[in-house]
């Protein structure tokens, strides 16, 4: 059960309190830039985690400036599409409404999920930007300097190559304990950095963890991360 911290009072709330009940994720972002893209990215990961648990989600974007540019940036980063949230009232049958906002953004009624800011320019590679933004907890600021972007790029290349290599081995299921660690991480206030730590552990695990299980683990986690880790399947190594 995914729990999220409500920035209004610091208390944990269940993101989807009604089983199979519709959850509205409303994103408040204006102006194109790394900070706004991070707000959208947190919403996208939230939607992925909810949908993986079988929760129907309605995702909306509300803002005043550069909405077309933001939507284009979201598409480039592999995010779910956002519907237009302007002039939308309540009462359409949602079991829960979750508002994802920048830390200095609006304060709408309902659960508020705050996202810290970003310093630095948007890198050219959308996947690298996605990983760089996911590396830090959403409540901590991100600095997109050369070191952070370079590390994200190197990690992405290494993981994609490893996944392509592991895919050539006999398939094995995700170990129950590893699956549990991943789900515990993203269901605990959307702790994506812990998800990444689990993947690093899997990458460096000893021979007791078959390569086929490593592949399935990365493919499973990527349903939430959205890093396209299986992109290089079939490519020459």
């Amino acid at each position: 059960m995914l729990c999220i911290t409500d920035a209004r009072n610091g208390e944990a709330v269940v993101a989807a309190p009604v089983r199979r009940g519709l959850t509205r994720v409303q994103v408040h972002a204006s102006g194109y830039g790394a900070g706004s893209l991070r707000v959208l990215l947190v919403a996208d990961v939230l939607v992925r985690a909810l949908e993986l648990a079988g929760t129907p989600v309605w995702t909306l974007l509300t803002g005043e400036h550069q909405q077309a540019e933001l939507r284009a940036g979201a598409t480039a980063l592999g995010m779910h599409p956002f519907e237009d949230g302007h002039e939308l009232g309540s009462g359409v049958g949602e079991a829960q409404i979750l508002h994802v906002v920048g830390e200095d953004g609006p304060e709408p009624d309902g659960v508020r999920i705050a996202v810290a800011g970003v310093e630095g320019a948007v890198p050219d590679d959308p996947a690298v930007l996605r990983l760089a933004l996911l590396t830090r907890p959403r409540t901590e600021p991100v600095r997109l300097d050369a070191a952070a972007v370079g590390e994200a790029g190197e990690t992405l290349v290494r993981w994609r190559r490893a996944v392509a290599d592991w895919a050539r081995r006999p398939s094995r299921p995700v170990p129950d304990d590893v699956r549990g660690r991943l789900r515990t991480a993203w269901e605990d206030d959307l702790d994506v950095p812990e998800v990444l730590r689990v993947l690093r552990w899997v990458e460096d695990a000893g021979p007791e963890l078959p390569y086929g299980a490593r592949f399935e683990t990365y493919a499973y986690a990527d349903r939430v991360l959205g890093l396209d880790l299986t992109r290089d399947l079939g490519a020459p190594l």
Side-chain angles (χ1 to χ4, degrees), residues 88-162:
L88 180 71
S90 59
V92 294
E94 309 99 322
Q96 180 76 286
I97 303 176
L98 305 172
H99 296 276
V100 186
V101 302
E103 58 184 356
D104 297 323
E107 299 186 8
D109 293 335
V111 178
R112 185 173 184 266
I113 302 170
V115 182
V118 181
E119 295 182 8
V122 176
D124 293 334
D125 189 326
V128 170
L129 172 61
R130 186 172 182 115
L131 179 54
L133 293 177
L134 291 176
T135 301
R136 304 293 298 173
R138 71 169 187 280
T139 55
E140 297 181 6
V142 169
R143 183 174 178 81
L144 293 175
D145 55 18
V149 172
E151 181 179 356
E154 292 171 3
T155 299
L156 194 61
V157 168
R158 188 178 72 251
W159 280 358
R160 284 174 172 173
R161 287 176 177 171

Side-chain angles (χ1 to χ4, degrees), residues 206-229:
E208 69 277 3
L209 186 60
Y211 290 126
R214 301 183 199 209
F215 168 79
E216 295 295 344
T217 297
Y218 271 62
Y220 175 65
D222 203 36
R223 294 175 66 181
V224 169
L225 298 175
L227 295 170
D228 200 11
L229 296 177

Side-chain angles (χ1 to χ4, degrees), residues 172-185:
R172 295 289 187 273
V174 180
D176 290 341
D177 61 328
V178 176
R179 184 186 296 270
R181 289 174 62 187
L182 290 170
R183 291 192 69 94
T184 296

Side-chain angles (χ1 to χ4, degrees), residues 169-211:
R169 317 299 175 91
S171 179
R172 295 289 187 273
V174 180
D176 290 341
D177 61 328
V178 176
R179 184 186 296 270
R181 289 174 62 187
L182 290 170
R183 291 192 69 94
T184 296
W186 66 61
E187 290 182 352
D188 180 14
D189 203 24
L190 219 61
D191 189 355
V192 176
E194 178 61 23
V195 173
L196 299 176
R197 281 190 286 271
V198 173
L199 293 187
R200 294 188 186 99
W201 177 87
V202 169
E203 179 185 18
D204 297 331
E208 69 277 3
L209 186 60
Y211 290 126

Side-chain angles (χ1 to χ4, degrees), residues 8 16 22 25 34 48-49 53 58 63 73 97 116 124 166 177 194 217 237:
R8 297 174 302 170
L22 177 65
V25 174
R48 288 170 177 268
W58 186 21
I97 303 176
D124 293 334
W166 297 334
D177 61 328
E194 178 61 23
T217 297
L237 296 179

